[in-house]
Amino acid sequence: MLATLMDLIDNPEEKRKFEQLFINYQQTMYHTAYRILKNQHDAEDAVQQAFIRVIDHLSDVDENDVGKTRSYLAIIARNMAFDVYRKKKREMTHTISYDEHEMF
């Protein structure tokens, strides 16, 4: 996953920064997402989407303030996990509604 995400970044300094963020905070972000989704694959998807969002806002991340960086990335992971959760919930209710409609 890291190599694929790194291809989205052009600047070598930003690549280095992103790589360090990934190495240092990927597990924290995964655990944050997993606590919400309770599913390994969904949590991994949420973390990948979160890192894509991080790439878009890389300039907002201050590597020197570890506590602030950890909180910032955990919040992004949490929000992406909620997005995945809501999407799954909508898909389930839509599928059930469609199946019920077919019964009648």
Side-chain angles (χ1 to χ4, degrees):
M1 174 170 55
L2 178 59
T4 305
L5 292 171
M6 295 280 284
D7 288 340
L8 300 173
I9 304 170
D10 297 326
N11 182 323
E13 180 59 28
E14 288 183 350
K15 280 188 180 200
R16 184 209 57 78
K17 182 178 183 178
F18 181 79
E19 182 177 22
Q20 286 303 308
L21 292 173
F22 186 89
I23 290 168
N24 293 334
Y25 299 104
Q26 186 260 345
Q27 285 296 318
T28 300
M29 294 171 72
Y30 173 80
H31 290 296
T32 300
Y34 188 83
R35 279 194 308 265
I36 294 165
L37 297 167
K38 311 261 189 288
N39 178 294
Q40 177 184 353
H41 299 292
D42 292 343
E44 290 170 355
D45 288 345
V47 170
Q48 184 173 6
Q49 292 172 18
F51 272 115
I52 291 170
R53 182 157 302 159
V54 168
I55 290 171
D56 293 337
H57 301 281
L58 207 51
S59 61
D60 297 339
V61 179
D62 180 12
E63 289 178 287
N64 298 323
D65 189 347
V66 175
K68 185 176 179 181
T69 300
R70 182 185 319 264
S71 296
Y72 182 73
L73 296 177
I75 288 168
I76 292 173
R78 182 196 68 196
N79 291 344
M80 293 309 297
F82 283 134
D83 288 349
V84 168
Y85 177 81
R86 283 190 291 268
K87 182 180 177 187
K88 290 253 183 216
K89 188 175 179 180
R90 271 194 310 272
E91 288 172 357
M92 271 183 53
T93 57
H94 178 67
T95 302
I96 291 170
S97 298
Y98 180 77
D99 289 344
E100 289 174 353
H101 178 66
E102 289 296 312
M103 286 175 36
F104 297 109

